[in-house]
């Protein structure tokens, strides 16, 4: 294995010699039972076909408008009332759990046109949600085995975590298959169904491929945005002066957030980028060399070598970010004249880069800005624990033990 934190090497791997560095079978085997042949777990023609289809849909203005309408519904009808109740009852709330539930509701509505109602704590969590958690966790644990034959033997014998994975994947597949079947029966050729599933189904691909594509997007959109927001909310409790600057950036028109207004919130975006620099939702990524190669720094790569880059480590390196690299300083994301400065994606690869750059990057920022702006303008959080939380990396990173807070109404906020 070769681990690199050199932006030139990363550009070489992700862009210049992209064809020579696929995910590779050792990696795709880990997630294959769960993600199947979905876009995030395949290479070559299968990846290219799905990428073209998804890229077309993600660039559609109608999808962006749909995303904002889903967020408005979820935030105003569920998230805000939940936090208002916490203020009234002086309850301790785990914001990490709240944001994960919100994110899963949102991504299910956008991807499947189905509402799991996770943010409604009065309802039981649907079996699909529990099974999704189990499948993601068990798939991640495969990567901790010292050699792959350990988990492959357990899968063959259908024991332990591999048995749990098989059962959980079965629940997920059956649930999504049923949603697809019901959608086919009700599709009438109109534009009423704006979710990704309906858009993919009109492309003529098989139901199995569509199912795996949608599961991949659920996986990508579920824990990544919630993890980024959890860490930023915590950081802002430690940096009240920065929180005040964020509030100046948050503007509403007729008490609503529009896509155009969200795009203008540069300081909030800088805070999100700075938070993800220090606490990236995806801690590492790796490829496998199809042929022997030499990286720009002179490192020899042999055929079959696993080549990994490490965003968590990169975000904390003096050579890349300066002597204040461990400080939370959103101002570093602005150029001298005051405009927002986007760093090279090979220095800040939290959304990958090159041909496989995250398709949902813009959607992720829309969601995070909408939620952060809606919450910060109304509420203040007081962290229950004075200690710095522990960062736990799995498929997506999370805060060990959650983020427990007491919620207060923000001084000066007037209800619309």
């Amino acid at each position: 294995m070769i681990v690199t934190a050199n932006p030139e090497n990363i550009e070489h791997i992700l862009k210049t010699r992209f064809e020579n560095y696929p995910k590779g079978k050792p990696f795709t085997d880990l997630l294959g039972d769960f993600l199947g042949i979905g876009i995030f777990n395949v290479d070559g023609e299968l990846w290219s076909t799905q990428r073209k289809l998804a890229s077309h849909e993600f660039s559609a203005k109608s999808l962006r408008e749909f995303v904002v309408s889903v967020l408005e519904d979820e935030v105003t009808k569920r998230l805000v009332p939940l936090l208002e109740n916490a203020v009234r009852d002086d309850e301790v709330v785990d914001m990490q759990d709240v944001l994960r539930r919100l994110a899963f509701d949102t991504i299910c509505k956008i991807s499947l046109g189905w509402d799991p109602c996770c943010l409604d704590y009065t309802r039981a969590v649907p079996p699909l949600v529990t099974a999704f958690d189990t499948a993601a966790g068990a798939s991640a644990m495969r990567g901790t085995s010292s050699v792959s034959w350990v988990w492959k033997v357990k899968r063959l014998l259908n024991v332990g975590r591999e048995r749990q994975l098989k059962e959980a994947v079965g629940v997920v597949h059956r649930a999504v298959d049923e949603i697809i079947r019901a959608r086919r029966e009700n599709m009438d050729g109109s534009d009423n169904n704006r979710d990704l599933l309906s858009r993919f189904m009109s492309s003529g691909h098989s139901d199995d491929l569509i199912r795996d594509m949608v599961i991949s997007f659920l996986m990508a959109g579920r824990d990544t945005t919630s993890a980024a927001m959890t860490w930023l909310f915590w950081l802002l409790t430690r940096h009240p002066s920065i929180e005040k600057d964020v509030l100046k950036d948050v503007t509403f028109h007729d008490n609503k957030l529009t896509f155009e207004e969200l795009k203008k919130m540069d300081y909030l975006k800088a805070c999100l980028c700075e938070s993800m620099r220090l606490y990236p939702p995806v801690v590492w990524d790796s490829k496998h060399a199809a042929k022997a190669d030499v990286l720009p720094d002179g490192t020899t790569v042999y055929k079959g070598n696993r080549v990994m880059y490490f965003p968590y480590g990169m975000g904390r390196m003096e050579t890349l970010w300066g002597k204040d690299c461990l400080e939370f300083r959103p101002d570093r994301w602005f150029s001298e004249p005051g405009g927002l400065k986007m760093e090279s994606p090979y220095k800040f690869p939290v959304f990958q880069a090159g041909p496989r750059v995250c398709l949902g990057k813009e959607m992720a920022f829309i969601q995070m800005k909408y939620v952060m702006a809606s919450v910060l303008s109304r509420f203040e959080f007081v962290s229950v624990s004075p200690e710095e939380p522990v960062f736990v990396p799995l498929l997506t990173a999370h805060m060990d033990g959650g983020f427990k807070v007491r919620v207060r109404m923000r001084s000066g906020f007037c209800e619309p």
Side-chain angles (χ1 to χ4, degrees), residues 12 27-28 33 51 75 120 131 149 154 183 191 205 232 284 322 341 375 379 397 411 413:
H12 181 86
F27 181 89
T28 57
D33 290 316
R51 178 80 185 191
V75 168
D120 184 348
W149 64 259
K154 290 181 179 179
R183 184 64 52 78
D191 293 329
H205 291 291
L232 180 52
W284 58 268
K341 171 184 68 176
V375 171
F379 306 101
S411 175
F413 174 75

Side-chain angles (χ1 to χ4, degrees), residues 245-399:
D245 288 337
V246 172
L247 290 171
K248 295 174 186 175
D249 195 44
V250 174
T251 56
F252 292 78
H253 179 70
D254 293 333
N255 298 313
K256 294 182 72 174
L257 281 170
T258 66
F259 176 73
E260 292 304 318
E261 284 160 344
L262 290 167
K263 280 175 61 178
K264 296 174 186 175
M265 295 181 187
D266 285 347
Y267 193 74
L268 180 52
K269 185 173 184 177
C271 287
L272 286 162
C273 290
E274 182 71 347
S275 174
M276 288 188 286
R277 178 183 70 84
L278 292 168
Y279 303 101
V282 180
V283 176
W284 58 268
D285 187 32
S286 67
K287 313 295 180 185
H288 285 80
K291 297 178 182 178
D293 193 17
V294 178
L295 299 180
D297 68 354
T299 301
T300 299
V301 180
Y302 296 100
K303 179 180 178 179
N305 277 170
R306 183 181 181 185
V307 184
M308 178 190 293
Y309 63 95
F310 189 47
Y312 180 86
M314 294 176 70
R316 293 160 182 268
M317 290 176 64
E318 264 191 46
T319 51
L320 294 179
W321 297 98
K323 292 186 180 297
D324 61 355
C325 62
L326 299 182
E327 296 178 21
F328 176 64
R329 195 170 66 77
D331 287 346
R332 76 175 78 244
W333 294 88
F334 289 90
S335 56
E336 287 300 325
L340 189 65
K341 171 184 68 176
M342 292 313 297
E343 293 284 358
S344 161
Y346 308 104
K347 175 182 173 182
F348 179 62
V350 295
F351 290 99
Q352 284 217 42
R356 286 194 94 127
V357 66
C358 176
L359 280 170
K361 178 179 177 180
E362 184 180 14
M363 185 189 295
F365 274 117
I366 291 173
Q367 179 178 341
M368 292 188 291
K369 284 181 174 182
Y370 195 105
V371 175
M372 296 292 304
S374 299
V375 171
L376 288 170
S377 62
R378 293 171 169 86
F379 306 101
E380 296 178 51
F381 294 146
V382 180
S383 180
V384 171
S385 172
E387 298 178 1
E388 182 171 346
V390 176
F391 182 81
V392 182
L394 284 174
L395 276 183
T396 48
H398 65 274
M399 191 179 285

Side-chain angles (χ1 to χ4, degrees), residues 24-167:
K25 194 172 186 300
F27 181 89
T28 57
D29 277 354
L30 293 177
L31 299 175
D33 290 316
F34 183 29
L35 299 184
I37 55 172
I39 187 171
F40 299 124
N41 205 50
V42 291
D43 295 306
E45 190 60 34
L46 259 178
W47 169 79
S48 180
T49 299
Q50 294 179 61
R51 178 80 185 191
K52 288 174 184 174
L53 172 61
S55 180
H56 172 73
E57 298 302 344
F58 272 80
S59 63
K61 181 183 177 184
S62 58
L63 182 62
R64 292 198 298 268
E65 292 172 346
F66 178 55
V67 169
V68 173
S69 69
V70 167
L71 287 167
E72 181 181 354
D73 190 63
E74 190 74 14
V75 168
T76 57
K77 294 181 180 178
R78 288 183 181 158
L79 179 60
V80 169
L82 185 153
L83 295 177
E84 287 174 340
N85 289 341
V87 173
R88 183 193 65 208
D89 300 334
D90 195 28
E91 290 180 345
V92 173
V93 175
D94 181 358
M95 280 306 297
Q96 177 169 256
D97 184 61
V98 168
L99 293 169
R100 290 185 74 188
R101 287 169 177 258
L102 169 74
F104 202 62
D105 278 356
T106 303
I107 197 62
C108 281
K109 289 179 179 179
I110 293 167
S111 297
L112 292 172
W114 172 69
D115 184 3
C117 302
C118 293
L119 203 52
D120 184 348
Y121 279 81
T122 65
R123 298 191 184 201
V125 175
L128 169 60
V129 179
T130 306
F132 208 95
D133 266 339
T134 301
S139 296
M141 292 309 293
R142 281 179 170 180
T144 65
S145 297
S146 54
V147 285
S148 62
W149 64 259
V150 173
W151 65 261
K152 288 181 179 179
V153 168
K154 290 181 179 179
R155 180 177 64 178
L156 182 65
L157 297 175
N158 195 30
V159 296
R161 192 175 282 112
E162 286 299 315
R163 181 173 182 173
Q164 296 173 3
L165 174 60
K166 182 179 180 180
E167 292 171 352

